[in-house]
Amino acid sequence: QQPVQSPQAVILREGEDAVINCSSSKALYSVHWYRQKHGEAPVFLMILLKGGEQKGHEKISASFNKKKQQSSLYLTASQLSYSGTYFCGTGDPRSNTGNQFYFGTGTSLTVIP
Amino acid sequence: KAGVTQTPRYLIKTRGQQVTLSCSPISGHRSVSWYQQTPGQGLQFLFEYFSETQRNKGNFPGRFSGRQFSNSRSEMNVSTLELGDSALYLCASSWGLAADNEQFFGPGTRLTVL
């Protein structure tokens, strides 16, 4: 039930765009995106809720396709600081039997000058 | 305001021992989640505590347990350590349930089991 991300790794030049995809085998209640730099803890980027609300703190956009159980993260005009591993995450607090918060398989993104 | 803190930052234990890790969330946050991170398995959810109650639990054996105190601080305990328990253990706090809110991660505790 762990979301699958694609691509697994990508190398960009500064200024290029990238798209990272996250696919789940079950219906998504919400999708989170985090970035983790080497040796550091994950940092929140964005959350997309099933009702359409989005909460984010950076100039990064994302989409949430409930029908396809997919989300995509769009990184435009990439900067060196965008390098890191990106994780999508999903959980559903409504389950009466308890539910896990699943992080995706991760996408390593490297931006080079 | 102060971020999420975890203690200790590094631990070395031997097989069969037990260990307790501590997490202090951001002030006002009521949810604390714990994750295990390894190169092979990625970020794996252990459990989530909200207002002193275990709300969710991941697919880990009963050797992994936790609790949350009235001040929202949380501890995680691993008994009868195995070599495979070597990992970075991260805790994250959020104002509400993790599924609905951004999570703020602590720096992690690096556990090495010899």
Side-chain angles (χ1 to χ4, degrees):
Chain A
Q1 294 183 341
Q2 181 181 30
V4 176
Q5 292 182 228
S6 62
Q8 283 188 321
V10 58
I11 299 175
L12 300 173
R13 291 199 177 275
E14 267 187 295
E16 291 183 336
D17 302 339
V19 179
I20 300 173
N21 300 303
C22 173
S23 296
S24 173
S25 59
K26 55 187 286 187
L28 294 170
Y29 169 83
S30 65
V31 177
H32 301 221
W33 286 96
Y34 289 82
R35 177 173 61 212
Q36 184 176 29
K37 293 181 181 284
H38 184 69
E40 299 180 9
V43 173
F44 171 82
L45 294 175
M46 174 167 290
I47 182 173
L48 302 100
L49 301 173
K50 197 166 187 178
E53 314 93 282
Q54 293 185 26
K55 299 186 229 178
H57 296 289
E58 294 196 25
K59 295 179 182 176
I60 292 173
S61 62
S63 65
F64 182 10
N65 188 323
K66 291 165 258 185
K67 233 178 180 181
K68 292 186 178 179
Q69 298 170 180
Q70 281 183 341
S71 176
S72 295
L73 186 72
Y74 304 96
L75 304 166
T76 57
S78 58
Q79 306 169 19
L80 294 176
S81 61
Y82 285 8
S83 293
T85 301
Y86 289 76
F87 293 97
C88 64
T90 182
D92 189 342
R94 301 166 299 173
S95 170
N96 292 329
T97 58
N99 211 337
Q100 300 191 34
F101 189 91
Y102 292 98
F103 274 103
T105 49
T107 295
S108 173
L109 185 140
T110 304
V111 181
I112 57 176
Chain B
K1 52 186 173 183
V4 179
T5 58
Q6 291 186 246
T7 56
R9 293 292 311 277
Y10 301 92
L11 264 180
I12 300 176
K13 293 284 187 180
T14 56
R15 278 182 298 175
Q17 287 187 308
Q18 78 164 22
V19 66
T20 299
L21 313 181
S22 181
C23 173
S24 293
I26 290 172
S27 177
H29 284 192
R30 295 174 293 170
S31 171
V32 173
S33 298
W34 288 89
Y35 298 90
Q36 181 195 67
Q37 187 170 32
T38 58
Q41 299 297 319
L43 272 165
Q44 301 281 310
F45 173 82
L46 282 154
F47 25 66
E48 178 180 13
Y49 285 87
F50 182 83
S51 295
E52 300 180 65
T53 301
Q54 186 180 87
R55 177 71 188 217
N56 300 305
K57 192 176 193 305
N59 297 329
F60 280 83
R63 300 185 296 107
F64 291 81
S65 63
R67 58 179 177 169
Q68 186 180 34
F69 302 95
S70 58
N71 61 358
S72 292
R73 190 177 69 85
S74 177
E75 286 182 348
M76 189 192 97
N77 185 76
V78 187
S79 62
T80 319
L81 284 166
E82 299 177 0
L83 294 178
D85 297 334
S86 293
L88 178 66
Y89 290 87
L90 293 160
C91 83
S93 76
S94 52
W95 183 84
L97 290 173
D100 287 320
N101 295 272
E102 65 180 286
Q103 298 181 69
F104 294 83
F105 283 83
T109 294
R110 172 76 61 185
L111 173 65
T112 302
V113 182
L114 302 175

